[in-house]
């Protein structure tokens, strides 16, 4: 589940035209994004499994200001609903 959702999130980022990686290999193709899994808690209640997964998206901008970062965050955030709608196993995205 963790890998599947990460892959879908990663593909969403790529589909928006961003240079991205998930392996930590540094590239100077700014703006450049790196997607990492930084947390995973699993809870089993009766016959239902709940996974709380935390991904961190590091964004490296072409300059030291915030404008480009905020635009990237806004753009990706506007498309996250599609990720949830296309995957019935996702209950929420925060």
């Amino acid at each position: 589940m963790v890998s599947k959702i990460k892959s879908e999130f990663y593909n969403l980022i790529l589909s928006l035209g961003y240079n991205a990686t998930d392996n930590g290999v540094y590239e100077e193709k700014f703006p450049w994004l790196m997607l990492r899994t930084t947390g995973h808690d699993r809870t089993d209640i009766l016959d239902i499994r709940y996974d709380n997964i935390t991904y961190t998206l590091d964004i490296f901008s072409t300059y030291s200001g915030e404008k480009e970062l905020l635009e990237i965050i806004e753009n990706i955030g506007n498309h996250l609903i599609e990720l949830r709608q296309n995957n019935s196993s996702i209950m929420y995205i925060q």
Side-chain angles (χ1 to χ4, degrees):
M1 178 64 66
V2 176
S3 295
K4 179 181 182 289
I5 293 173
K6 182 178 179 181
S7 178
E8 290 180 20
F9 186 23
Y10 183 74
N11 288 332
L12 170 70
I13 293 166
L14 293 179
S15 75
L16 295 173
Y18 296 112
N19 295 313
T21 186
D22 67 347
N23 61 19
V25 176
Y26 182 78
E27 297 178 33
E28 290 195 25
K29 298 178 183 175
F30 300 109
W32 177 66
L33 291 72
M34 183 173 61
L35 181 61
R36 301 179 292 128
T37 306
T38 54
H40 178 214
D41 296 316
R42 181 184 318 191
T43 303
D44 293 302
I45 301 173
L46 300 175
D47 293 332
I48 301 171
R49 171 172 288 159
Y50 295 95
D51 290 283
N52 184 353
I53 307 164
T54 303
Y55 300 107
T56 299
L57 184 62
D58 297 311
I59 304 172
F60 302 90
S61 179
T62 55
Y63 64 99
S64 61
E66 289 186 331
K67 184 178 185 292
E68 185 176 46
L69 299 176
L70 295 173
E71 290 172 353
I72 292 170
I73 292 166
E74 178 77 14
N75 188 27
I76 293 172
N78 287 339
H79 291 86
L80 282 177
I81 189 72
E82 298 167 13
L83 180 63
R84 197 199 60 72
Q85 289 173 337
N86 294 332
N87 192 327
S88 62
S89 64
I90 298 175
M91 294 174 57
Y92 70 94
I93 295 176
Q94 179 179 357

